[in-house]
Amino acid sequence: MDFANEIIHGDCEEILKQFPDDSIDLIFTSPPYADQRQRTYGGVKPDNYVDWFLPKAAQFLRVLKPTGTFILNIKERVVDGERHTYVIELILKMREGQGWLWTEELIWHKKNSYPGKWPNRFRDNWERLLQFNKQKKFNMYQEAVVVPVGDWAKDRLASLSETDKIRDESKVGSGFGKNVSNWLGRDKVYPTNVIHMATECSNKNHSATFPVDLPAWFIKLFTREGDVVLDPFVGSGTTALAAIQLGRRHVGIDINEEYVQLARKRITETQIRMPIIAEAPDKAYPTVS
């Protein structure tokens, strides 16, 4: 079968070996965190997590286009009262051993996380979204995710000083600078690297879900209509649903057959309710057995 617009049952590392090099525009995924989803994914131990993930990351690197982006949603687990370092170790190994560029780290602020009380920490209210690329120049469509300028502009732009009207270079020599007057008359600005989004979603049949708006935000930022979006740990199909709704092609892989069936069912129901925004261009893709 043609892998484009499919949800495939199997181990992503093995399935992706049948994919051609440089064929995916965006990889967005949330793999099982260490010691999580024991019944569905086996529960990888924190000390073994890097070794478990790296062979998969090697396939991600191979199939991702040079202009593509890989977004990894992950969070460290607490072990014996402290955060384990497997996420940091994974970043270093991906950079040093595989050649990934760790371009950015974004934060997903969960606006409605459950309350709780722990003796030595507060509740988790955010998760990492690590951005990796193959090269420094990659596709990024920032205008697709602009946000309202906000109330700060009313006071800040009301009376500009002379220095506000020129590019004010960073005093620490970082190369960054700003010209405040550039924002006069604008009602939209670029967002920050903190994404404020509630955790609610319509799906209640998967052990670890995120809202469809989360992958949709990154799909808009890093792809155009007709591009291919891969989720190698697709779960209940949320990333694929976001891709469909935005007129992108999707590929989902999951080792759990129950979730594959759930994802396919959700996608079928979505396609019945709404047309795909745009027909993707014809492309040659391999078949998988």
Side-chain angles (χ1 to χ4, degrees):
M1 60 181 175
D2 186 337
F3 83 65
N5 292 332
E6 288 290 343
I7 303 296
I8 303 168
H9 176 227
D11 180 85
C12 63
E13 182 184 342
E14 296 304 316
I15 295 294
L16 288 176
K17 288 178 181 178
Q18 303 177 56
F19 283 40
D21 297 351
D22 306 331
S23 56
I24 302 296
D25 296 283
L26 172 67
I27 302 172
F28 181 95
T29 198
S30 180
Y33 298 177
D35 277 342
Q36 299 297 301
R37 295 183 247 177
Q38 177 71 38
R39 289 185 299 174
T40 52
Y41 291 104
V44 183
K45 295 297 181 183
D47 288 344
N48 301 330
Y49 198 88
V50 173
D51 289 338
W52 172 81
F53 193 87
L54 281 177
K56 297 169 175 55
Q59 290 301 317
F60 303 162
L61 182 68
R62 185 184 62 77
V63 302
L64 187 67
K65 291 181 180 179
T67 54
T69 292
F70 170 29
I71 299 294
L72 176 61
N73 172 215
I74 197 167
K75 183 69 181 283
E76 300 92 341
R77 179 168 172 74
V78 173
V79 179
D80 294 330
E82 66 170 344
R83 291 286 180 184
H84 198 281
T85 59
Y86 66 87
V87 174
I88 297 171
E89 294 167 15
L90 178 61
I91 294 170
L92 294 175
K93 290 288 188 180
M94 288 175 63
R95 290 180 68 252
E96 298 167 1
Q98 297 183 338
W100 286 100
L101 301 179
W102 181 28
T103 309
E104 178 60 293
E105 179 176 30
L106 298 98
I107 296 300
W108 171 24
H109 165 219
K110 300 179 177 181
K111 297 195 297 183
N112 65 331
S113 61
Y114 289 110
K117 182 180 184 297
W118 294 264
N120 60 350
R121 67 188 68 253
F122 295 114
R123 59 175 166 163
D124 267 345
N125 204 37
W126 62 274
E127 290 187 14
R128 297 176 184 268
L129 290 152
L130 305 175
Q131 178 187 337
F132 296 96
N133 295 93
K134 297 174 74 168
Q135 61 185 30
K136 292 182 179 179
K137 186 176 182 180
F138 51 87
N139 292 333
M140 187 174 185
Y141 310 104
Q142 294 174 318
E143 296 295 333
V145 294
V146 291
V147 297
V149 66
D151 293 336
W152 68 269
K154 296 177 182 177
D155 296 329
R156 183 66 181 87
L157 301 179
S159 56
L160 297 178
S161 66
E162 289 303 314
T163 56
D164 287 334
K165 299 175 184 178
I166 61 174
R167 180 176 172 83
D168 185 19
E169 298 295 339
S170 170
K171 301 301 186 293
V172 298
S174 64
F176 292 97
K178 61 182 183 298
N179 183 339
V180 179
S181 64
N182 283 338
W183 303 105
L184 280 171
R186 297 195 185 189
D187 59 358
K188 298 284 187 178
V189 295
Y190 298 125
T192 70
N193 58 4
V194 178
I195 301 170
H196 304 275
M197 196 172 293
T199 59
E200 293 101 345
C201 62
S202 58
N203 172 50
K204 303 296 183 183
N205 298 314
H206 187 267
S207 59
T209 58
F210 46 70
V212 69
D213 286 345
L214 188 64
W217 192 88
F218 288 95
I219 291 169
K220 288 186 287 185
L221 179 60
F222 292 115
T223 68
R224 287 178 170 167
E225 290 184 12
D227 284 351
V228 182
V229 178
L230 165 68
D231 188 340
F233 301 94
V234 75
S236 61
T238 302
T239 300
L241 289 177
I244 290 170
Q245 292 168 359
L246 293 169
R248 277 65 163 174
R249 308 184 80 177
H250 69 271
V251 184
I253 306 171
D254 207 281
I255 201 168
N256 185 287
E257 188 171 7
E258 180 182 351
Y259 290 159
V260 168
Q261 297 302 323
L262 174 60
R264 289 173 178 169
K265 181 175 183 291
R266 293 180 72 202
I267 288 169
T268 298
E269 292 173 349
T270 298
Q271 290 173 326
I272 291 173
R273 291 195 303 267
M274 60 167 288
I276 295 178
I277 292 174
E279 291 296 327
D282 291 335
K283 297 180 182 179
Y285 290 112
T287 59
V288 294
S289 56

